[in-house]
Amino acid sequence: MRRAIDDLLGAYDKLIMDPVHGGIPLYRHEIQVIDHPLFQRLRNICQNDILSLVFPGATHSRFLHSIGVMHVGSRMFRSMINAYLRERQLSSQVTLTMTQLDAIDYLAKIIRLACLLHDSGHSSFSHQFTQAAKIRDLMARPGRFEDLWKGVDTRTIYPETPTELEHEHYSVRVAFDVLNSLNLDDAGLQRDDVLGIMETTSVTPSERFCQHAETFWAFIAGADANAGALQTASTPRLVMDLLSSIVSGEIDADRADYMLRDGFHSSVTIGGFNLDHLLSNLRFGWTVDEPWLGLAITQKGLGALEDFVYSRYQMYRKVYAHKTALGFDWLLREAINEVLADPDTFEWVDLCLSDMSYFADLTDNFFWEAFRRKARKQPESYSKCIVDRVKLEHLDTRENLDADAQKAHRAYLATALGTDESDVVTCTMRARFSNIQDNFNGIKVLISEPVTRQRALKRITDVSAFFTKFEDGTITHFYQRPSLLRQH
């Protein structure tokens, strides 16, 4: 209990200096997570695959991003707690009990750990790794999940066996090993409670979590705690869903950090938004009829939320879908497929994807060395393009073309160039923004009546028309292969 009070008052064991957030405090058990080899490997995985070939400053790693997400997630939760206490104290004297302090501290700590470990399963070159065709085939191999979890009963984490693994499944697997290596009892934490708020899992909360969730819910909802449908609702599940939304949701710590971090290191301003203003206007929201417990935002904070969404939209269009960047992503995927044609490389990657004893070796450095070996032996190769930064020659960009229109335009360009159609490459990024309206309706706007001070929650699209303006957009870039590849 003394440790919980110290932590809530700001006691920490180490401070990491971050170029985006400044000083980030760490607790003892978090330092042990960061020092684990499976987490240290993230130093050698770039946040944005090979975006640095276009934006030279974008060499930042998954390592610091993960620590930044932990920091933002902690700030989100504590900001909502602080705002709640301020508003309660305006109308009545509020005194936190030791039980309530302990519950808040417990939930804050598992949010921090889940955020810290949320990307720990990323492999070489982050998202581009799993988009390479041969890697997709490897990760979908029958029995892969069983090999990865050999000797572990996974039924408390995954009631059903996943058929095709994603990096989120590997993050859970890494988190399982890392957390098992710690003495979590010293921190008063339960491993499965952390895993339970990470993506892909379905975990029954521990008895400790359930007790803290009941305490937290009674503290936050007050008279509403046992009203309406909430009488029969699973309070631990409501609280766990709330915490999950902080780790991975529409307003989550992951997006908040990577937009600021990618914008900062890419030296662009379109990824900027006022994080302090956004966090200061987040609130806990609940309704007794659904029942629902989740994030709410004050009406005056809508501008900050709109900036957050628009910044994300612009980062996809102007940075992630940049014509040169998408061209290099295509070359990278082909280079990965190319080096996996070597049986030794293929068998090693296969082993790393099945055994945590070797997974730490699967970093960007491994493939960079494979690319260099291939480039030396075969100068006319995709690997040579990556090593020497030989880019695809951009021809044209079109938006919202369907598959038939893309094929027709590709044929037209080949004819105009007098080249074979196979020499014209298309790279497409689909920005999925049509679900913004539906997803953000899960985040309520908190309306305070000026006279009665009564709280009312409204759907976000009933208050702001901004979130109805977004649609899915497909950006297609057309390229000609570099001359050294045209005989392929």
Side-chain angles (χ1 to χ4, degrees):
M1 187 70 72
R2 179 70 233 177
R3 180 71 183 180
I5 296 172
D6 287 345
D7 291 347
L8 283 170
L9 290 174
Y12 56 86
D13 298 286
K14 189 173 184 177
L15 191 70
I16 283 184
M17 298 309 298
D18 174 49
V20 175
H21 301 296
I24 297 179
L26 299 171
Y27 302 132
R28 188 175 298 111
H29 61 279
E30 294 163 354
I31 298 169
Q32 292 170 346
V33 168
I34 290 170
D35 286 342
H36 194 283
L38 284 172
F39 192 89
Q40 285 291 313
R41 66 183 284 277
L42 297 178
R43 290 181 182 272
N44 298 309
I45 297 175
C46 275
Q47 172 74 11
N48 298 118
D49 50 78
I50 53 173
L51 188 66
S52 60
L53 295 184
V54 183
F55 299 93
T59 57
H60 52 299
S61 68
R62 289 275 162 185
F63 176 84
L64 201 47
H65 164 65
S66 297
I67 295 172
V69 174
M70 176 198 70
H71 179 64
V72 175
S74 179
R75 286 191 62 194
M76 288 177 68
F77 184 70
R78 289 170 186 263
S79 179
M80 289 187 286
I81 292 288
N82 291 339
Y84 179 81
L85 290 173
R86 280 198 315 272
E87 290 167 1
R88 284 283 296 273
Q89 286 170 344
L90 291 176
S91 56
S92 62
Q93 186 65 34
V94 177
T95 303
L96 283 171
T97 67
M98 294 298 292
T99 302
Q100 290 167 338
L101 278 170
D102 201 25
I104 292 169
D105 179 67
Y106 187 87
L107 300 182
K109 283 179 176 174
I110 67 168
I111 288 172
R112 287 175 63 89
L113 282 176
C115 287
L116 184 61
L117 290 161
H118 84 286
D119 264 355
S120 58
H122 265 297
S123 296
S124 312
F125 303 114
S126 298
H127 291 287
Q128 295 305 317
F129 179 79
T130 53
Q131 292 182 30
K134 289 187 177 180
I135 295 297
R136 297 297 304 170
D137 292 342
L138 269 175
M139 294 180 73
R141 174 179 64 77
R144 173 75 63 193
F145 180 84
E146 290 79 4
D147 290 343
L148 188 64
W149 288 90
K150 187 176 181 179
V152 178
D153 185 355
T154 60
R155 289 173 295 181
T156 60
I157 306 171
Y158 292 105
E160 296 182 4
T161 301
T163 56
E164 184 172 347
L165 301 187
E166 303 287 349
H167 78 268
E168 291 89 351
H169 295 100
Y170 280 88
S171 293
V172 173
R173 184 65 183 90
V174 168
F176 182 88
D177 272 13
V178 171
L179 295 175
N180 275 350
S181 72
L182 310 183
N183 186 354
L184 285 179
D185 284 341
D186 285 350
L189 302 175
Q190 294 285 320
R191 179 199 66 204
D192 284 1
D193 292 339
V194 178
L195 301 182
I197 61 173
M198 296 177 69
E199 288 187 273
T200 76
T201 62
S202 180
V203 171
T204 300
S206 71
E207 182 178 347
R208 184 178 300 174
F209 182 95
C210 292
Q211 291 172 351
H212 288 317
E214 296 285 354
T215 299
F216 174 77
W217 173 237
F219 166 67
I220 292 295
D224 286 343
N226 294 307
L230 291 170
Q231 290 180 320
T232 57
S234 170
T235 299
R237 176 49 53 189
L238 286 173
V239 174
M240 187 160 273
D241 288 346
L242 167 70
L243 305 189
S244 297
S245 71
I246 294 174
V247 180
S248 179
E250 282 304 318
I251 311 177
D252 63 13
D254 181 30
R255 287 188 176 97
D257 182 81
Y258 79 62
M259 285 197 298
L260 291 175
R261 194 171 299 278
D262 293 353
F264 174 84
H265 287 283
S266 300
S267 299
V268 299
T269 58
I270 54 178
F273 62 94
N274 192 324
L275 179 62
D276 292 334
H277 188 205
L278 179 63
L279 296 187
S280 69
N281 285 285
L282 288 180
R283 300 291 187 271
F284 297 112
W286 63 89
T287 55
V288 299
D289 49 346
E290 297 182 39
W292 174 81
L293 170 66
L295 299 183
I297 190 159
T298 66
Q299 196 166 11
K300 72 175 184 178
L302 278 176
L305 181 57
E306 290 169 359
D307 286 345
F308 176 82
V309 173
Y310 187 66
S311 294
R312 180 179 161 213
Y313 176 77
Q314 286 290 72
M315 283 291 288
Y316 270 91
R317 293 185 61 86
K318 304 300 184 183
V319 176
Y320 307 134
H322 188 283
K323 64 181 188 298
T324 310
L326 281 193
F328 275 122
D329 285 346
W330 184 87
L331 287 168
L332 175 62
R333 293 192 296 271
E334 293 303 316
I336 291 172
N337 292 330
E338 185 177 69
V339 298
L340 285 174
D342 174 65
D344 291 339
T345 303
F346 183 90
E347 289 175 11
W348 178 250
V349 173
D350 187 25
L351 177 63
C352 290
L353 290 172
S354 290
D355 192 331
M356 282 292 108
S357 301
Y358 302 98
F359 186 69
D361 293 332
L362 206 53
T363 64
D364 293 0
N365 296 338
F366 172 82
F367 276 96
W368 276 113
E369 287 304 314
F371 296 156
R372 292 186 182 100
R373 288 195 301 270
K374 181 67 176 179
R376 285 193 294 268
K377 293 179 181 178
Q378 186 181 339
E380 299 81 18
S381 62
Y382 297 108
S383 296
K384 181 69 170 177
C385 292
I386 294 297
V387 170
D388 288 351
R389 197 186 178 275
V390 179
K391 62 184 179 181
L392 295 176
E393 300 171 30
H394 183 254
L395 300 173
D396 196 9
T397 297
R398 297 295 176 94
E399 295 197 24
N400 300 324
L401 297 182
D402 60 23
D404 290 338
Q406 288 181 25
K407 184 177 180 181
H409 194 59
R410 185 178 170 206
Y412 162 75
L413 291 171
T415 301
L417 291 167
T419 188
D420 190 272
E421 192 173 332
S422 63
D423 285 335
V424 178
V425 174
T426 61
C427 296
T428 299
M429 174 173 278
R430 185 177 184 186
R432 296 179 176 87
F433 287 101
S434 63
N435 61 355
I436 281 181
Q437 178 176 346
D438 292 336
N439 289 348
F440 273 89
N441 271 332
I443 300 166
K444 304 294 192 290
V445 180
L446 181 62
I447 309 293
S448 296
E449 297 297 334
V451 178
T452 63
R453 292 187 178 274
Q454 293 296 309
R455 298 157 55 102
L457 290 170
K458 293 187 177 181
R459 294 196 321 164
I460 204 164
T461 48
D462 290 340
V463 180
S464 170
F466 175 84
F467 298 92
T468 64
K469 297 177 180 179
F470 295 92
E471 297 179 349
D472 284 358
T474 300
I475 300 173
T476 304
H477 298 302
F478 295 84
Y479 310 85
Q480 187 174 17
R481 292 173 185 263
S483 56
L484 65 87
L485 293 176
R486 287 177 197 163
Q487 63 265 42
H488 284 209

